[in-house]
Amino acid sequence: MDPAPVSVSSSSDAAPAGPAQTGAVAGILVAVSLGHFINDTIQSLVPAIYPILKDGFRLDFGQIGIITLVWQLTASIFQPLVGIATDRRPQSYSLVAAMALTSVGVLMLARAGSYGAILAAVALVGLGSAVFHPESARVARLASGGRHGFAQSIFQVGGNAGSAVGPLLAAFIVLPYGQGAIGWFAALSMAGLVLLAGVGRWYAAHRRKPAAAAAPRASGVDPRQVTIAIAVLCLLVFSKYFTYAAISNYFTFYLIERFGLSVGEAQVRLFLFLAATAVGTLVGGPIGDRIGRRTVIWFSILGVLPFTIGLPYMGPVGAVVCALATGVILASAFPAIVVYAQELLPGRVGMVNGLFFGLAFGMGGLGGALLGEMADVTGLTVMFQAAGFLPAIGLLAWFLPDLKGARRS
């Protein structure tokens, strides 16, 4: 492996310091978070416009499923591959390329006149996301000033906000004006392209600094333990995103069916849940910086268990309270998981980012599909009762090594 990844990874542990640099680094964090907001806003448009595509092209649910498969496969499978490639040869302007791919995909989707053109368009949108996440998360780490959890939280909350806003924009812009209105979102992605060009200039200048030549600090963990720990983290991501998929996809239907709420009332409660996940994402990273990421991972996965188990047995207010508590606590896990994995594998930040962001995206889609099939067979209440035990997988966090202790030894 050439020395390029060493320079980037080492600098990820030592972002520029000093009063003169603080504002610039904070600006970069805000910029990549805004870029994440734009990326995930556009990504969330894809499922939001399924009704338009289904009616306009007379698609069946199987064809809608193929659209989802193509979009999610390109967005999830390619992420670790992009991460591995950029570990070996970092690309300062890859974020610009990512937003350009997304822009082309959006314009193609607006003008698509056939099913094949739709598949090609969503593949480009997914590929843009696959290129965006590994390097943008690396830039957030570079700009962290050593507060890696805090930087991950700022970066990820932009994505949370975009995922929540996208369907609203689709409802107010695309649904009334039709498929062609999707093209208006290319203006948003082009604004992101300009924003990320500035990030690319900072990234290129930062990589050229002589201070970035030091080797990354080893985790101090036995390679076999590292393999086990990464496998455990992947299982925790599975638990987190299947639990998240249960609420984000089916909580509105549950409230309507079980308590007789209107669609509008149920959607308000879903937005409250999405807001709670944004709060959890924002606080999870800084808390991990203070008390340790392993502790946050323990609490954030296992801590939701009483709420997820209790949710289907509560009344309308109690169910919402359980959902909000689940959103806050569960969302605090992901920044800690990503940074913990980065510390387990120093020098392979891009691969780690691609693996876990891709896995999160894939597990969310898979969880939504499988839990939906289960709800069709057993009913929503039984599905929520079964899904409530998924966070018990968090017991596997026992096998995560103490990285601080490993370094001291």
Side-chain angles (χ1 to χ4, degrees), residues 389-401:
F389 288 92
L390 282 170
I393 294 174
L395 288 168
L396 292 173
W398 173 265
F399 295 100
L400 296 177

Side-chain angles (χ1 to χ4, degrees), residues 29 140-141 144 146-156 280-290 293 332 334-340 342-343:
L29 282 177
R141 185 173 175 87
S144 68
R147 299 172 64 193
H148 303 314
F150 169 76
Q152 273 298 314
S153 287
I154 295 296
F155 168 66
Q156 289 179 26
T281 301
L282 195 57
V283 302
I287 292 174
D289 287 337
R290 288 180 175 271
R293 308 186 213 291
S332 67
F334 198 57
I337 287 173
V338 171
V339 177
Y340 183 91
Q342 290 173 347
E343 292 171 347

Side-chain angles (χ1 to χ4, degrees), residues 223-245:
R224 183 173 176 273
Q225 281 187 293
V226 170
T227 301
I228 293 172
I230 292 294
V232 167
L233 292 175
C234 289
L235 288 171
L236 296 182
V237 170
F238 158 79
S239 167
K240 176 191 182 314
Y241 279 95
F242 264 59
T243 303
Y244 179 83

Side-chain angles (χ1 to χ4, degrees), residues 3-12 14 206-216:
V6 173
S7 64
V8 173
S9 301
S10 59
S11 60
S12 70
H206 186 75
R207 285 176 50 217
R208 288 195 294 266
K209 291 189 177 184

Side-chain angles (χ1 to χ4, degrees), residues 69-131:
L69 180 66
V70 170
W71 167 51
Q72 293 192 344
L73 280 180
T74 53
S76 59
I77 289 179
F78 283 103
Q79 286 198 39
L81 300 178
V82 171
I84 291 169
T86 54
D87 278 338
R88 295 182 176 182
R89 191 177 295 276
Q91 302 294 325
S92 301
Y93 292 95
S94 60
L95 302 185
V96 176
M99 206 57 73
L101 287 169
T102 299
S103 300
V104 173
V106 166
L107 291 172
M108 284 180 61
L109 192 56
R111 301 295 300 273
S114 66
Y115 183 62
I118 292 172
L119 294 180
V122 299
L124 276 177
V125 172
L127 187 59
S129 183
V131 175

Side-chain angles (χ1 to χ4, degrees), residues 12 44 62 91 105 142 146 197 199 218 228 230 248 257 264 303 315 327 335 358 365 370 376 382:
S12 70
S44 65
Q91 302 294 325
L142 285 168
V199 173
I228 293 172
I230 292 294
S248 63
E257 179 184 289
L370 293 180
D376 283 337
V382 174

